[in-house]
Amino acid sequence: GDSVTQMEGPVTLSEEAFLTINCTYTATGYPSLFWYVQYPGEGLQLLLKATKADDKGSNKGFEATYRKETTSFHLEKGSVQVSDSAVYFCALGGTGGFKTIFGAGTRLFVKA
Amino acid sequence: DTGVSQNPRHKITKRGQNVTFRCDPISEHNRLYWYRQTLGQGPEFLTYFQNEAQLEKSRLLSDRFSAERPKGSFSTLEIQRTEQGDSAMYLCASSLLLTGSNEKLFFGSGTQLSVL
């Protein structure tokens, strides 16, 4: 069945460091891909999305590119801030033929 | 915009009791999902509806779990004969999925279930 695999956390970085959180997926067909974020004490919210191969989703300085050849959707940010500390979830689905399913999440801690 | 509303926020019950949770999605949304989330894990898919039709139920879900969305609006999730392993945060999400579009989920705050 369809699945999403994320790198295990926690990831601890200093402010202004470069961030990569790896995500790979398995799916029959061509789902949309998403990153959701859960800040401390808050619910999940959509961070960015990409709907087809080679699309790049971006928001709040975060980017991820839909790579069909490597079935990946890695999340990157060039310079993290303390306020980026949260749990990040990679997800696939969200089109007519797919339900949305999530990876296990990667917790990010950013130190000042 | 009232968002996705879940009730109750917290539920403490004794093992063997039945519990029911309610989710009120954003009013024009046609899809509604139930997920379960335990500490340190991602949301685990339980079931989802498109309008009033239940499209899929997770194979991992026992027969003690049942969900309904009778009029394509609010939904209920019932757990019968609760077990301690059912303790988790139960999340509801809704979306408006249109033909040819992709989906953005809006999550409720969840119902935290503790089975003693």
Side-chain angles (χ1 to χ4, degrees), chain A residues 6-12 21 105-109:
Chain A
Q6 288 182 238
M7 64 185 286
E8 287 190 21
V11 173
T12 303
I21 300 178
T106 303
R107 182 174 295 275
L108 171 66
F109 292 104

Coordinates of all heavy atoms in Angstrom, one line a residue, chain A residues 6-12 21 105-109:
Chain A
Q6 N 9.9 9.1 6.7 CA 10.7 10.3 7.1 C 11.9 9.9 7.9 O 11.9 8.9 8.6 CB 9.8 11.2 7.9 CG 8.7 11.9 7.3 CD 8.0 12.8 8.2 OE1 6.8 12.7 8.4 NE2 8.7 13.8 8.8
M7 N 12.9 10.8 7.8 CA 14.0 10.6 8.7 C 13.6 10.7 10.1 O 12.7 11.5 10.5 CB 15.1 11.6 8.3 CG 14.8 13.1 8.6 SD 16.1 14.2 8.0 CE 17.3 13.9 9.3
E8 N 14.3 10.0 11.0 CA 14.0 10.0 12.4 C 14.5 11.3 13.0 O 15.6 11.7 12.6 CB 14.5 8.8 13.1 CG 13.8 7.5 12.7 CD 14.2 6.4 13.6 OE1 14.7 6.6 14.7 OE2 13.9 5.2 13.2
G9 N 13.9 11.8 14.0 CA 14.4 12.9 14.8 C 14.8 12.4 16.2 O 14.9 11.3 16.4
P10 N 15.0 13.4 17.0 CA 14.9 14.8 16.8 C 16.1 15.3 16.0 O 17.2 14.8 16.1 CB 14.8 15.4 18.1 CG 15.5 14.5 19.0 CD 15.3 13.1 18.4
V11 N 15.9 16.4 15.3 CA 16.9 17.2 14.7 C 17.2 18.4 15.5 O 16.2 19.2 15.7 CB 16.6 17.5 13.2 CG1 17.6 18.4 12.6 CG2 16.3 16.3 12.4
T12 N 18.4 18.6 15.9 CA 18.8 19.8 16.7 C 19.7 20.7 15.9 O 20.8 20.2 15.5 CB 19.4 19.4 18.0 OG1 18.4 18.6 18.7 CG2 19.7 20.6 18.9
I21 N 15.1 17.8 5.9 CA 14.4 16.7 6.5 C 14.0 15.8 5.3 O 13.3 16.2 4.4 CB 13.2 17.1 7.3 CG1 13.6 18.0 8.5 CG2 12.4 15.9 7.8 CD1 12.4 18.5 9.3
G105 N 6.7 11.8 11.3 CA 7.0 13.1 11.8 C 8.5 13.2 12.2 O 9.1 12.2 12.7
T106 N 9.0 14.4 12.1 CA 10.4 14.7 12.5 C 10.4 15.9 13.4 O 9.9 17.0 13.0 CB 11.3 14.9 11.3 OG1 11.3 13.8 10.4 CG2 12.7 15.2 11.7
R107 N 10.8 15.8 14.6 CA 10.8 16.9 15.5 C 12.1 17.7 15.3 O 13.2 17.2 15.2 CB 10.8 16.4 17.0 CG 10.7 17.6 18.0 CD 10.5 17.1 19.4 NE 9.2 16.5 19.6 CZ 8.1 17.1 19.8 NH1 8.1 18.4 19.9 NH2 6.9 16.5 20.0
L108 N 11.9 19.0 15.2 CA 13.1 19.9 15.0 C 13.2 20.9 16.2 O 12.2 21.5 16.6 CB 12.8 20.8 13.7 CG 13.8 22.0 13.5 CD1 15.2 21.5 13.3 CD2 13.3 22.8 12.4
F109 N 14.4 20.9 16.8 CA 14.7 21.9 17.8 C 15.7 22.8 17.2 O 16.7 22.4 16.7 CB 15.3 21.2 19.0 CG 14.4 20.3 19.8 CD1 14.4 18.9 19.7 CD2 13.4 20.8 20.6 CE1 13.6 18.1 20.4 CE2 12.6 20.0 21.3 CZ 12.6 18.6 21.2

